[in-house]
Amino acid sequence: CCRDTVAWGCLRTKQLKTRLGILLHKPELGHEAESFSTSENSSEEALEWKKSFDHLLKSKNGVATFHAFLKTEFSEENLEFWLACEEFKKSRSKTKLSSKAHRIFKEFVQNEAPKEVNIDHETREITRKNLTAATSSCFDAAQAKTRTLMEKDSYPRFLKSTSYQDLTEQITSHSTSKLLHT
């Protein structure tokens, strides 16, 4: 009986890892999410993502999985901009700050940018003016707008997505099964 219970637990763990792998290795999702660990800790981490958008953004695996989901919706630019801003804020070189700011602006903020984010004209203009004396906070208004948009729009869709629902259902049933068989 104990051997069967152990075998059943191993089988459930393998199924869970397979499900995580399928979710994160779909060709249409890109390669960003491939580094997601399929350990039990990462499974529990995936359940944390539904607690708040902050939980998701603080998780490297959460960001990768959310990015993969956004790619399926062709709406990854807001997250990519938010991440670029986070990285930009870490810049310490004054000389590089200006060039990085202009690169981010051209890629995400200016009208007709290759990955143009969805922000209002006023925020776009404030951001453009901030570039004249680039500081680590020059994108704060635009970043806040895109974060709010993701939190109110993309994040709820992610939580309702079949992939995330299936993932959390398998994690929950795996945890319940493990409790029953220990």
Side-chain angles (χ1 to χ4, degrees), residues 7 23-24 35-36 38 79-80 85 89 98 110 120 130 142 147 161 163:
L23 171 66
L24 296 171
S35 63
F36 187 80
T38 53
L79 180 61
E80 290 176 5
C85 290
K89 289 176 187 179
S98 180
Q110 78 180 12
D120 58 273
N130 287 345
R147 187 196 187 290
S161 71
S163 296

Side-chain angles (χ1 to χ4, degrees), residues 5-21 38-43 170-171 173-175 177-178:
T5 301
V6 171
W8 174 251
C10 290
L11 177 63
R12 297 290 295 156
T13 300
K14 286 179 183 177
Q15 289 172 339
L16 181 58
K17 287 181 179 182
T18 300
R19 179 65 191 135
L20 282 168
T38 53
S39 70
E40 238 172 271
N41 290 340
S42 61
S43 299
Q170 270 203 300
I171 291 168
S173 66
H174 173 70
S175 297
S177 173
K178 191 174 179 184

